[in-house]
Amino acid sequence: MPPSIHPVDLISALRQKHLTPAIVFLTSRRACDEAMEAFDHANFVLPSVRQDAIAKALERVMAQHPSIAEHPLIPIVQRIGVAAHHAGHLPTWKIAVEELMRQGHLDAVFATTTLAAGVDFPARTVVITQSSIRKSRDFTDLTAGEVQQIAGRAGRRGKDHVGFAVITPSPYIDLSVLTKGLTGQPEAIDSQFTISYPMVLNLLKAHPHEHIQGILAKSFAQFQLNQRAEVLEQKLDALHIKMEPFGPRVCTDWITQWHTFDHARRHRHTRHPTYRTEPPEIAARLPFLTPGRVVGFSRGRGIVLRQYRSKGQRNSMLTVLRLESAVTECPVTSVKEVYDRTYDCPETSAYPWCSTDTFDRLSHQLDELPLRLPLLPILVSTDGEPLPDAVVQSLEDFPCPTCSSRSACQKDFLTASRLRQEQQRHTKSIQALRTSLWHRFQERVEVLQKFGYLTLTTQLTAEGEWARLIRIDHSLLITELIRAEAFTGADPSLLAGILASLAHDDDRPGAFPRITPGLSSLLGQVRKLAESLSPYEDPPLLRADVAALVERWVADPSLTWIGLCRLTTMAEGDIYRLLARTLEYLSQVQTLKTTHPGLAESAAHAITLIRRGVLEELP
Amino acid sequence: MTTDELEKLLAQQPVAVLHRLARGRVQRHFRAGKRRLIELLLQHSSQNRAGFESDLLTLIGERQSGPTPGSSRRPGAPPGAHKHVAPRSSDTEPSDPPVSLTEWLQGLGVPAPQPFVQDPWQVEALAAVSETDVVISVPTGSGKTYVAIEAARRAMEDNRSVIYTSPLKALSNTKYAEFSKIFGPDKVGILTGDRQENGQAPLLVMTTEILRNLLYDAASGEIDVRLDTLGLVILDESQYLADPERGVVWEETIIFCPSQARLLLLSASIGNPQDIADWLTSIRATPCRLVRHSKRTVPLRAGYLHPNGRLTPLFRTLGIPQGHPGHLHPEAKHLFIEYEEETLPSGRARR
């Protein structure tokens, strides 16, 4: 079995059940054209009555749009009663096909899914062969809205009792996408509001800067942001209600209060240097153990040289001069007696902690000491005066330890603080939502100020006055090009070529005629500028082939449409659209009559040169 | 009951009963063996001895009086009846037999020519559009264009001018031709970037971008006199509001649309038309009316055509089962599974 049904079999199956006329949506333009060819090869011929009817209908269209008279597909369509309809065809040809379909002369039209929105004619049956659609280079699943748009073409009012949407599988079809699309609700619309440079200029031209925020607030984007903010606010209210069981407390902001208290309590050991506890009798001695003091140990006596604290030791340490000029270190606890005698001993910063003279004198005096010495009476306060402690003091500043709701705070703190964090997060995102548009606007304003289209007081400069008239994509690049005088003296064909490369955003490949040196150097200049502007504006594709093609069409008035099409591999419809887009851009440049008369004239000239042949027929 | 008696009674019970008793009383009871379980239960029973004893007695009574506690939970039900309900209760298949192909194809044909009768929603929309802004969200092919034409006709009869915009140049051209046929060529004009045809006509067709540019020109002082007499702006295919690149143009147009002009937004079915209407109400002078319906004028049926030429209905029901994508016709389902098996490389399952 073939992976998908042959187009001829498809139509004959539909015809057999009286399900024609039908629109068959296929993935690609090529698939549409091949389907038509398949009919051609199948030697399928309509009865002559119907052939005549088609010819007559086509003649009526031709009277309006003479360009299709020579169209190569006319005899085929007439013979087989089936046509392809996609963006690769000329608009006039598409009009002809639509007209034939509307009058019911065709059995089937093969159309691309991509153009489903542009297919504005109904049929009895719609055939869907794919569940995905090509959107900027990759395939994405059809949305419910798109499936319904496609299926919506089925059933002609007044001509059919029922419409049919027939799904026929092809490789990689996902049936569930289609069934969900058919039975589901269409998607909600989301605002795609973006702030462009011309929008900023035009808004600031018409309204003072302080009114802009109000205008932006009228956008659907803001409306939807507000809706989201409202949802968040409801959540916030719910949180408030959830917080209620935790109140009322003694203090208004008990969470913060408790949080800081808790923090201080937990971190007091790390925040402050360790406090060594010494028994009160030792602590009372410390002030007397100064350099020069005579102290007694369990064995012998000594003179204190210095008192210090050492990290590894629990107690204060002493450096002591012992008999025979020995210098020893010992903790204060090993001091048994403190005698009521001191010698003069100025302390120095290095070993042996006093000058050599003093050292010699002290060791001599130590030898000379009498056997009995009076003890120093040291009073030990029994309850021990509490040492000033920063932490304890700061903890006492908190009302929490003595507060009546202390136990409740302690218990609920975790839940409450989580709830409040959530609340703060919501408040923040609400604020961000409410101001986001305005920020985006300000960003644009700053860029425009940097380039000199706006003054610092957000008035339009002379440059801004004309730049606001360029209201198309890549407007910043175009106005910068005009300011850089890239187009001065350029003839209409060059201008049209460059604008075509700016306007064309399709990356379908196409071969191109040889590019002229003038165009190529100008295009290089444009590329350079586009690159330097890329932080502020997405650069266009700037394809050289389309530029060369349009330049050729404008520069050579004797070139026919057929001749133009032969120059490239692009489809007719694409060339047409390229030229139509170029016209749009040119018409924008043309509005700069007062400030850039030369350029505007060149654009006007290019417009008249482009508008010939096929391009003349449709407005 | 003394503790000893209770212990003996517990020891007589099978372990299953003990576990049921331990549920909610003893943590991690499923880890314990029988002896340990009894120990734990006794420990716990000191908290609420009476409750524990009565629970034990009812459990014993249940066991003796009939089926095992396990099966007593689903009494009397036919075997297998429960299996179905559990997984997807919202998407159960209806019990009535699926529609047959002959039924599905019935009603084919051309209806007898009837005098044109307005749909109720069209009447409603036309009545509303003479007073306020209107958002219309109806399925494709319901006759939105009819409303546009009638609204334009009425506005023009009141000597107000009308602007009709479409997203695509090709659609503009089609509409221009269509309107010219209806109103006469001198009443309809078209505006493009570089061309005007009949630019002073009371009904102007253009793309939305062109209208946006006109509105900007008017706002910045280069007043276009026509905007003062503008009575109605029709934005066709308003679902383009969601277009990633061009949606902003629709927003700008709606924001800057002069307040004396009525707005008529025509859109295919969308998910949140009420939001759009609410938005318009919040920024425009008059409250906006929403006209929506989801029923197609010509009913739709869905079918499945197998590559071998066999046609079956796609869904079990004749029409589209709204909200039930799983209600596939058994035959279509069968054929599609067959198709997938045949076309997919072996060993690779889809989804």
Side-chain angles (χ1 to χ4, degrees):
Chain A
M1 188 173 54
S4 53
I5 191 165
H6 191 272
V8 178
D9 297 341
L10 169 68
I11 300 305
S12 60
L14 292 178
R15 212 177 255 153
Q16 192 198 342
K17 305 277 188 214
H18 306 285
L19 289 175
T20 53
I23 306 174
V24 183
F25 284 101
L26 298 171
T27 355
S28 61
R29 298 173 183 185
R30 214 167 100 198
C32 296
D33 291 335
E34 279 172 0
M36 218 179 131
E37 270 169 39
F39 266 89
D40 203 12
H41 292 309
N43 289 324
F44 178 88
V45 181
L46 282 184
S48 58
V49 191
R50 284 191 58 192
Q51 288 201 19
D52 292 346
I54 293 178
K56 260 186 205 148
L58 277 176
E59 259 165 40
R60 279 195 293 275
V61 183
M62 269 182 241
Q64 256 187 319
H65 306 293
S67 67
I68 58 158
E70 300 284 297
H71 205 283
L73 290 177
I74 287 181
I76 305 176
V77 168
Q78 214 169 313
R79 195 166 66 239
I80 61 181
V82 166
H85 179 281
H86 57 70
H89 290 307
L90 277 181
T92 38
W93 174 248
K94 288 199 284 185
I95 289 174
V97 172
E98 285 165 26
E99 198 51 44
L100 287 178
M101 196 67 182
R102 239 174 248 128
Q103 293 176 17
H105 294 308
L106 295 182
D107 277 341
V109 165
F110 295 101
T112 52
T113 320
T114 328
L115 206 72
V119 175
D120 190 23
F121 50 90
R124 176 173 288 171
T125 307
V126 161
V127 181
I128 306 172
T129 59
Q130 279 289 325
S131 61
S132 48
I133 184 172
R134 187 173 184 264
K135 271 182 194 159
S136 60
R137 292 176 216 195
D138 10 298
F139 283 85
T140 49
D141 279 351
L142 291 165
T143 64
E146 282 163 344
V147 174
Q148 286 173 21
Q149 177 98 340
I150 291 171
R153 303 286 167 215
R156 295 160 299 176
R157 205 187 160 105
K159 287 190 193 164
D160 289 315
H161 284 299
V162 243
F164 293 90
V166 173
I167 294 171
T168 181
S170 62
Y172 305 111
I173 195 173
D174 188 346
L175 193 63
S176 68
V177 170
L178 296 174
T179 52
K180 273 180 199 152
L182 281 173
T183 57
Q185 283 289 318
E187 285 77 11
I189 277 184
D190 261 333
S191 172
Q192 304 289 334
F193 199 72
T194 49
I195 291 171
S196 60
Y197 294 115
M199 189 199 286
V200 172
L201 289 173
N202 281 299
L203 282 176
L204 285 172
K205 166 74 180 172
H207 308 276
H209 186 250
E210 56 269 24
H211 289 185
I212 304 287
Q213 204 163 4
I215 293 169
L216 292 179
K218 287 166 94 181
S219 66
F220 188 48
Q222 184 69 53
F223 180 81
Q224 289 195 312
L225 288 179
N226 287 347
Q227 275 187 331
R228 273 167 59 194
E230 250 167 55
V231 171
L232 283 180
E233 263 164 14
Q234 277 167 11
K235 273 193 190 167
L236 210 61
D237 287 345
L239 280 180
H240 276 302
I241 293 167
K242 266 196 197 166
M243 292 281 289
E244 251 166 36
F246 301 115
R249 303 287 158 119
V250 174
C251 41
T252 44
D253 187 9
W254 68 269
I255 299 178
T256 314
Q257 186 73 263
W258 180 264
H259 179 73
T260 23
F261 169 70
D262 204 46
H263 188 76
R265 205 174 51 160
R266 275 165 204 265
H267 294 267
R268 79 192 211 221
H269 294 299
T270 54
R271 278 202 314 179
H272 297 276
T274 37
Y275 174 69
R276 291 167 221 249
T277 46
E278 276 154 347
E281 59 276 8
I282 301 288
R285 273 178 183 179
L286 289 176
F288 299 97
L289 297 174
T290 51
R293 170 73 60 187
V294 181
V295 291
F297 298 95
S298 47
R299 281 174 64 209
R301 293 176 292 193
I303 297 175
V304 176
L305 288 178
R306 64 160 181 162
Q307 186 193 125
Y308 65 94
R309 284 188 181 268
S310 173
K311 242 186 182 169
Q313 304 288 326
R314 269 184 80 240
N315 294 302
S316 286
M317 299 291 288
L318 294 177
T319 307
V320 188
L321 175 67
R322 303 295 289 269
L323 285 175
E324 285 161 8
S325 301
V327 178
T328 58
E329 317 277 332
C330 62
V332 280
T333 41
S334 56
V335 173
K336 296 294 172 218
E337 259 117 31
V338 182
Y339 298 110
D340 187 9
R341 173 156 309 185
T342 54
Y343 295 105
D344 194 24
C345 177
E347 205 177 342
T348 59
S349 58
Y351 182 88
W353 319 114
C354 57
S355 59
T356 17
D357 294 350
T358 327
F359 189 81
D360 292 342
R361 178 171 52 84
L362 285 178
S363 41
H364 179 68
Q365 277 162 344
L366 186 61
D367 291 338
E368 303 282 289
L369 273 178
L371 278 174
R372 294 175 71 97
L373 279 174
L375 285 175
L376 194 67
I378 295 173
L379 288 176
V380 179
S381 58
T382 42
D383 50 355
E385 201 179 324
L387 286 157
D389 184 343
V391 181
V392 175
Q393 285 223 321
S394 70
L395 278 179
E396 273 167 5
D397 291 341
F398 287 107
C400 297
T402 52
C403 174
S404 57
S405 46
R406 170 180 175 149
S407 55
C409 291
Q410 192 166 8
K411 197 171 127 230
D412 301 339
F413 170 66
L414 276 180
T415 331
S417 80
R418 188 176 47 76
L419 285 180
R420 203 178 57 168
Q421 270 172 20
E422 215 169 302
Q423 192 180 6
Q424 279 165 349
R425 213 184 61 225
H426 285 193
T427 328
K428 250 188 210 163
S429 48
I430 286 175
Q431 264 173 359
L433 284 182
R434 293 228 189 271
T435 53
S436 58
L437 270 185
W438 177 239
H439 281 307
R440 269 148 65 190
F441 182 80
Q442 288 292 6
E443 274 170 25
R444 296 284 181 189
V445 166
E446 273 159 31
V447 173
L448 287 170
Q449 282 172 339
K450 189 178 158 196
F451 283 96
Y453 295 104
L454 286 174
T455 64
L456 288 176
T457 52
T458 64
Q459 302 289 313
L460 268 67
T461 60
E463 309 279 342
E465 283 289 343
W466 60 262
R468 80 187 164 82
L469 296 173
I470 306 290
R471 296 162 187 147
I472 31 183
D473 298 345
H474 313 299
S475 59
L476 189 62
L477 177 58
I478 293 173
T479 52
E480 282 298 298
L481 279 172
I482 295 174
R483 287 174 76 188
E485 308 217 314
F487 299 132
T488 325
D491 54 85
S493 59
L494 270 184
L495 178 65
I498 294 296
L499 287 182
S501 71
L502 288 170
H504 196 67
D505 51 5
D506 194 347
D507 58 350
R508 268 172 204 279
F512 60 98
R514 218 153 54 81
I515 188 164
T516 59
L519 183 62
S520 108
S521 77
L522 193 52
L523 207 55
Q525 197 184 339
V526 176
R527 282 215 182 95
K528 223 179 261 170
L529 192 61
E531 210 164 288
S532 71
L533 288 179
S534 58
Y536 312 109
E537 196 176 60
D538 289 339
L541 284 180
L542 287 175
R543 281 172 55 171
D545 55 346
V546 297
L549 198 68
V550 172
E551 192 207 11
R552 194 67 172 274
W553 177 248
V554 177
D556 183 4
S558 62
L559 188 67
T560 58
W561 181 255
I562 305 289
L564 183 72
C565 292
R566 283 214 189 102
L567 285 175
T568 173
T569 51
M570 282 168 81
E572 261 186 318
D574 289 329
I575 303 174
Y576 182 92
R577 223 176 359 269
L578 166 68
L579 289 170
R581 288 267 289 171
T582 311
L583 276 177
E584 232 171 82
Y585 277 47
L586 282 169
S587 69
Q588 297 268 311
V589 175
Q590 197 193 0
T591 53
L592 307 179
K593 271 178 228 121
T594 47
T595 49
H596 302 79
L599 183 66
E601 201 185 315
S602 182
H605 196 183
I607 289 175
T608 46
L609 285 171
I610 289 184
R611 283 263 190 213
R612 63 190 154 94
V614 179
L615 282 133
E616 218 173 3
E617 282 177 10
L618 291 172
Chain B
M1 219 188 285
T2 64
T3 313
D4 276 357
E5 278 170 3
L6 186 63
E7 195 179 341
K8 261 183 210 156
L9 189 59
L10 283 172
Q12 285 164 11
Q13 303 308 318
V15 193
V17 174
L18 299 184
H19 278 298
R20 278 194 72 188
L21 266 175
R23 228 179 269 167
R25 289 193 166 90
V26 179
Q27 275 191 341
R28 297 158 77 85
H29 61 89
F30 42 84
R31 285 271 183 103
K34 186 169 182 181
R35 188 164 295 172
R36 174 84 183 130
L37 204 53
I38 293 173
E39 223 169 85
L40 289 167
L41 281 172
L42 283 176
Q43 253 175 39
H44 186 271
S45 71
S46 59
Q47 285 179 19
N48 180 4
R49 187 62 171 267
F52 179 73
E53 278 171 16
S54 74
D55 276 4
L56 176 61
L57 292 177
T58 45
L59 267 181
I60 293 170
E62 239 175 61
R63 272 183 65 78
Q64 283 163 353
S65 74
T68 52
S71 64
S72 71
R73 259 176 278 163
R74 37 181 165 141
H82 282 277
K83 276 185 206 157
H84 244 21
V85 189
R88 274 188 277 164
S89 57
S90 63
D91 213 23
T92 49
E93 307 216 334
S95 51
D96 46 321
V99 66
S100 70
L101 184 64
T102 38
E103 266 179 279
W104 187 76
L105 283 170
Q106 240 168 38
L108 237 173
V110 183
Q114 291 166 346
F116 178 78
V117 183
Q118 291 182 359
D119 286 345
W121 71 267
Q122 287 172 327
V123 179
E124 185 192 346
L126 282 172
V129 79
S130 55
E131 292 157 18
T132 67
D133 302 330
V134 178
V135 173
I136 294 177
S137 167
V138 291
T140 318
S142 303
K144 287 189 289 279
T145 313
Y146 171 78
V147 177
I149 290 168
E150 279 306 304
R153 187 199 307 280
R154 291 182 193 183
M156 276 160 30
E157 276 164 9
D158 294 352
N159 280 327
R160 291 179 299 151
S161 59
V162 180
I163 290 179
Y164 175 95
T165 79
S166 76
L168 303 170
K169 234 176 174 175
L171 288 180
S172 292
N173 285 329
T174 317
K175 292 294 177 201
Y176 174 52
E178 191 181 339
F179 292 164
S180 298
K181 249 182 234 163
I182 295 168
F183 297 115
D186 56 322
K187 286 281 182 68
V188 189
I190 186 165
L191 254 62
T192 62
D194 62 312
R195 265 199 193 179
Q196 287 196 358
E197 271 179 29
N198 246 339
Q200 297 305 312
L203 170 57
L204 285 181
V205 180
M206 58 185 85
T207 57
T208 314
E209 271 85 356
I210 302 285
L211 175 59
R212 192 263 318 258
N213 291 351
L214 281 184
L215 292 173
Y216 269 140
D217 286 341
S220 56
E222 296 131 42
I223 197 80
D224 187 350
V225 188
R226 299 181 40 83
L227 288 182
D228 294 339
T229 58
L230 186 61
L232 179 66
V233 174
I234 304 170
L235 303 178
D236 201 357
E237 310 285 343
S238 300
Q239 72 271 17
Y240 262 74
L241 206 55
D243 189 273
E245 271 141 40
R246 298 174 57 203
V248 59
V249 179
W250 270 255
E251 285 195 42
E252 288 172 271
T253 308
I254 291 168
I255 295 169
F256 295 115
C257 185
S259 53
Q260 92 279 353
R262 300 267 164 269
L263 267 173
L264 175 57
L265 269 64
L266 307 176
S267 134
S269 283
I270 52 171
N272 55 348
Q274 188 64 53
D275 283 353
I276 309 243
D278 287 347
W279 169 50
L280 282 179
T281 305
S282 73
I283 64 167
R284 304 271 306 168
T286 51
C288 173
R289 268 286 278 287
L290 170 66
V291 178
R292 72 185 293 193
H293 80 129
S294 50
K295 200 162 170 278
R296 291 168 44 96
T297 329
V298 180
L300 182 70
R301 290 175 196 171
Y304 175 82
L305 181 66
H306 202 58
N308 65 11
R310 191 145 156 220
L311 185 71
T312 72
L314 180 66
F315 295 110
R316 297 176 68 94
T317 48
L318 191 62
I320 305 282
Q322 292 298 332
H324 297 284
H327 286 192
L328 288 184
H329 197 277
E331 206 177 332
K333 208 173 179 174
H334 171 75
L335 283 173
F336 185 71
I337 289 170
E338 205 173 80
Y339 173 81
E340 284 207 313
E341 275 169 5
E342 276 179 37
T343 53
L344 281 176
S346 57
R348 217 180 78 197
R350 260 182 86 80
R351 298 266 153 139

